[in-house]
């Protein structure tokens, strides 16, 4: 039923009411005439209540006017059949009663109809409100799904850039291995990874995904090294997809492939710079220190910087679409990355002081068991999903040591055990006297160190 349309049931009800009113009116008048013709003026007068009540209920004000007319007809019929003043007076009083009853019923019926109309208006308003809220909810759900999809795509893009950065920072990979691994992570960052293939051309060498082939649905970006084109990155779809900003590709994917080309250019430039440094390292000791520092900074600072950059870009681009909880978690991640960055810088400064012979130790007499137990207690807070066990003799003798550096060593060993062990395993810290030495051991049940890498564990990364 459309808004404002009368229900069919109401229409049928009004028609039945009209027929009933007409029938009772005719019956009342007919019975009155018949009764008056036999000289009975009292017994049929109450029949007029029926049409009066029906008229006032169904038609309110018009029914009241109709009731006045019926009352007058009753009085006229009485005058027509008798001139008895007593009967006429009774008829007049009855007419007044008829009008009074009609007035009361009209008033009550009008109030009921006003109430019904008010309820109908409230119902219509409520229906409009529900419709509006439903539409707004559907709109919000659609926008949220779009925002979630966009956020998911941006996450894949950031993850791709992070993976490239991580691969390039692996010192055990040569240039060729880096490019092979980089090209295999690219398809996952595009909207349709299952039909995405990629190829990298650099200095005449080509690196392709397993099923690469050229198609008409293609994106590419030049790799410029020191302002000169040295190659390009190409991404192809193997099947046709709906048209978007650039063929079947989104504009954000254009930004991504441009960023990847720039990143690969930086990686290549960095590799070339590192090679040049290696050539002069034996002639200039100062350059050696600088190169080592730059290499360490490049390796150690990438992860927190990438995190800060990624989360900051996320806030700048999608601040209005993120929920308060998501914004809070992003800011916490930035804060955590900043703390990590500060810690790394402090470590790098210590390494520089160590290389320059300027690192000073603040030696003092300390109780080693207190240092070890404090380190374990804080590790429990950082990693509540791990079990920590201590086998430390509280009767260990006092030693002379730099408390800060000793604690740093224990923390690093514990962090390493946590990082490379599955959750729920047991990490044990042991300390005992071995001849004239204090032997400290941090044991875990992780993956262990490959035999080929054991000899390199004390090398700088």
């Amino acid at each position: 039923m459309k808004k404002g349309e009368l229900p069919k049931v109401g229409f049928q009800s009004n028609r039945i009411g009209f027929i009933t009113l007409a029938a009772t009116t005719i019956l009342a008048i007919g019975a009155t005439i018949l009764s008056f013709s036999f000289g009975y003026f009292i017994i049929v007068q109450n029949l007029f209540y029926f049409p009066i009540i029906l008229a006032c209920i169904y038609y309110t004000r018009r029914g009241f006017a109709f009731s006045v007319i019926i009352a007058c007809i009753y009085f006229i019929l009485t005058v027509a059949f008798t001139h008895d003043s007593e009967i006429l007076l009774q008829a007049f009083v009855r007419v007044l009663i008829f009008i009074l009853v009609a007035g009361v019923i009209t008033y009550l019926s009008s109030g009921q109809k006003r109430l019904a109309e008010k309820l109908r208006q409230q119902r219509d308003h409520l229906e409009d409100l529900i419709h509006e809220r439903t539409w707004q909810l559907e709109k919000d759900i659609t926008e949220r799904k779009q925002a979630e999809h966009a956020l998911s795509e941006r996450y894949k893009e950031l993850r791709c850039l992070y993976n490239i950065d991580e691969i390039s920072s692996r010192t055990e990979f040569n240039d060729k291995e880096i490019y092979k691994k980089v090209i295999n992570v690219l398809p996952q960052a595009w909207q349709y990874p299952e039909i995405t293939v990629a190829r990298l051309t650099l200095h005449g060498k080509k690196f392709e995904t397993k099923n690469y082939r050229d198609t008409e649905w293609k994106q590419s970006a030049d790799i410029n090294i020191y302002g000169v084109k040295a190659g390009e990155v190409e991404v192809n779809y193997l099947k046709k997809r709906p048209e978007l900003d650039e063929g079947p590709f989104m504009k954000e994917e254009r930004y991504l492939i441009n960023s990847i080309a720039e990143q690969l250019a930086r990686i290549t430039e960095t590799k070339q710079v590192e090679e040049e440094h290696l050539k002069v390292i034996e002639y200039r000791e100062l350059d050696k220190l600088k190169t080592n520092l730059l290499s360490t900074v490049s390796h150690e600072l990438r992860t927190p910087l990438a995190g800060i950059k990624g989360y900051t870009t996320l806030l700048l681009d999608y601040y209005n679409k993120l929920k308060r909880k998501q914004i809070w978690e992003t800011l916490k991640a930035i804060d955590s990355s900043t703390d990590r960055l500060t810690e790394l810088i402090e470590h790098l400064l210590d390494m520089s002081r160590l290389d320059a012979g300027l690192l000073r130790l603040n030696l003092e007499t300390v109780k080693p068991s207190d240092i070890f137990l404090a380190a374990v207690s804080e590790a429990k807070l950082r990693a509540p999903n791990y079990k920590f066990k201590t086998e430390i003799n509280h009767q260990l003798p006092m030693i002379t040591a730099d408390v800060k550096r000793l604690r740093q060593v224990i923390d690093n060993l514990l962090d390493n055990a946590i990082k490379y062990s599955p959750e729920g395993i047991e990490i044990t810290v042991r300390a005992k006297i071995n001849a004239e030495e204090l032997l400290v051991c941090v044991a875990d049940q992780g993956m262990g160190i490959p035999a080929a890498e054991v000899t390199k564990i004390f090398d700088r990364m």
Side-chain angles (χ1 to χ4, degrees):
M1 184 179 70
K2 295 182 180 178
K3 183 178 177 181
E5 180 182 346
L6 291 174
K8 292 183 179 181
V9 174
F11 175 75
Q12 295 290 341
S13 177
N14 288 339
R15 186 169 64 178
I16 293 172
F18 176 78
I19 295 173
T20 304
L21 176 62
T24 54
T25 302
I26 294 172
L27 177 63
I29 294 175
T32 298
I33 294 174
L34 182 63
S35 177
F36 283 1
S37 64
F38 287 99
Y40 299 104
F41 295 95
I42 302 301
I43 59 175
V44 296
Q45 59 188 2
N46 289 334
L47 292 175
F48 280 86
Y49 281 115
F50 292 103
I52 288 173
I53 293 172
L54 290 174
C56 293
I57 289 176
Y58 280 105
Y59 301 102
T60 57
R61 294 181 181 178
R62 288 181 297 173
F64 177 77
F66 179 76
S67 299
V68 172
I69 294 173
I70 291 178
C72 292
I73 291 174
Y74 168 75
F75 187 75
I76 292 171
L77 291 173
T78 304
V79 172
F81 281 92
T82 184
H83 296 290
D84 188 328
S85 59
E86 184 177 352
I87 295 176
L88 292 177
L89 179 60
Q90 290 180 358
F92 181 74
V93 172
R94 182 63 61 181
V95 168
L96 294 179
I97 293 174
F98 286 161
I99 295 174
L100 178 61
V101 170
V104 171
I105 295 175
T106 300
Y107 174 77
L108 294 176
S109 180
S110 298
Q112 189 271 338
K113 289 190 175 183
R114 284 195 300 272
L115 179 59
E117 177 63 20
K118 185 176 180 180
L119 290 175
R120 185 190 66 79
Q121 292 176 354
Q122 290 179 347
R123 182 198 66 191
D124 291 343
H125 175 70
L126 183 60
E127 288 177 352
D128 291 341
L129 186 61
I130 291 174
H131 177 73
E132 180 182 352
R133 294 293 173 84
T134 302
W135 176 82
Q136 185 63 43
L137 182 60
E138 291 175 351
K139 180 183 177 183
D140 291 344
I141 291 174
T142 301
E143 291 179 349
R144 178 178 178 178
K145 288 182 178 179
Q146 292 174 347
E148 289 176 349
H149 176 72
L151 189 59
S152 174
E153 292 300 316
R154 301 298 81 73
Y155 171 78
K156 291 196 301 183
E157 294 164 5
L158 290 173
R159 186 68 183 174
C160 174
L161 295 174
Y162 172 79
N163 287 337
I164 294 174
D165 193 69
E166 186 179 31
I167 291 170
S168 67
S169 66
R170 301 286 293 273
T171 55
E172 67 269 26
F173 297 150
N174 57 34
D175 294 355
K176 186 177 180 180
E177 291 173 330
I178 289 175
Y179 298 139
K180 282 183 177 180
K181 292 182 178 296
V182 166
I183 204 63
N184 286 319
V185 303
L186 298 190
Q188 297 302 318
W190 262 254
Q191 192 173 10
Y192 306 106
E194 67 279 1
I195 60 167
T196 303
V197 293
R199 178 170 66 186
L200 167 63
T201 304
L202 189 62
H203 298 308
K205 297 180 180 179
K206 294 183 178 181
F207 305 89
E208 302 175 346
T209 53
K210 185 177 180 181
N211 56 341
Y212 179 85
R213 74 171 186 268
D214 283 319
T215 67
E216 58 183 300
W217 311 290
K218 176 180 179 180
Q219 262 189 332
S220 63
D222 293 340
I223 300 176
N224 297 313
I225 299 177
Y226 300 119
V228 178
K229 181 179 178 180
E232 65 176 348
V233 183
E234 301 168 85
V235 172
N236 289 260
Y237 284 161
L238 299 179
K239 296 180 181 179
K240 185 178 181 180
R241 283 295 178 262
E243 292 289 318
L244 295 173
D245 302 304
E246 184 183 331
F249 301 99
M250 298 183 295
K251 62 181 179 181
E252 289 82 4
E253 290 171 333
R254 164 52 57 189
Y255 302 149
L256 174 62
I257 196 170
N258 288 343
S259 298
I260 291 172
E262 293 175 4
Q263 198 171 14
L264 289 170
R266 289 196 300 269
I267 291 172
T268 304
E269 291 172 356
T270 301
K271 293 295 182 181
Q272 291 178 356
V273 169
E274 290 175 354
E275 291 175 0
E276 293 175 0
H277 283 172
L278 290 175
K279 293 178 181 179
V280 299
I281 194 171
E282 59 187 68
Y283 302 108
R284 301 178 61 184
E285 188 63 28
L286 182 60
D287 284 345
K288 173 186 175 182
L289 180 60
K290 184 187 298 182
T291 301
N292 289 339
L293 183 59
L294 287 175
S295 177
T296 304
V297 169
S298 175
H299 177 81
E300 293 288 340
L301 302 188
R302 276 196 181 101
T303 300
L305 284 176
I308 293 171
K309 172 60 178 174
Y311 285 116
T312 303
T313 303
L314 180 66
L315 284 176
L316 291 174
D317 291 345
Y318 302 99
Y319 182 83
N320 293 328
K321 296 182 180 180
L322 294 175
K323 295 181 178 179
R324 184 180 183 87
K325 182 180 178 181
Q326 292 173 320
I327 294 175
W328 174 250
E329 291 175 350
T330 303
L331 291 174
K332 285 178 63 179
I334 294 175
D335 182 67
S336 176
S337 295
T338 304
D339 290 341
R340 177 60 178 161
L341 188 61
T342 302
E343 180 183 358
L344 289 173
I345 292 174
E346 184 65 27
H347 289 174
L348 291 172
L349 290 174
D350 286 344
M351 292 171 62
S352 298
R353 296 188 189 105
L354 185 63
D355 286 340
L358 301 176
L359 183 65
R360 296 182 180 180
L361 298 178
N362 297 318
L363 300 177
E364 56 183 302
T365 302
V366 296
K367 188 176 181 181
S369 58
D370 292 344
I371 299 175
F372 304 150
L373 292 173
V376 172
S377 297
E378 291 188 16
K380 290 180 180 179
L381 297 178
R382 295 196 304 272
N385 296 328
Y386 291 80
K387 299 176 183 178
F388 292 85
K389 179 181 177 182
T390 57
E391 297 177 4
I392 299 174
N393 187 348
H394 293 275
Q395 302 301 321
L396 292 175
M398 304 292 284
I399 63 172
T400 301
D402 185 324
V403 177
K404 179 180 177 181
R405 304 302 175 189
L406 180 58
R407 175 60 186 274
Q408 184 179 358
V409 171
I410 302 301
D411 286 341
N412 286 343
L413 292 174
L414 287 170
D415 288 343
N416 188 71
I418 293 169
K419 182 177 180 182
Y420 294 102
S421 300
E423 292 186 357
I425 65 95
E426 185 179 87
I427 298 174
T428 304
V429 178
R430 302 186 184 93
K432 64 179 181 179
I433 295 297
N434 183 19
E436 295 183 356
E437 296 179 342
L438 175 60
L439 180 62
V440 182
C441 174
V442 177
D444 60 65
Q445 302 172 29
M447 64 183 70
I449 303 174
E453 303 294 329
V454 172
T455 58
K456 302 178 182 179
I457 60 175
F458 293 107
D459 291 345
R460 181 181 298 180
M461 294 192 302

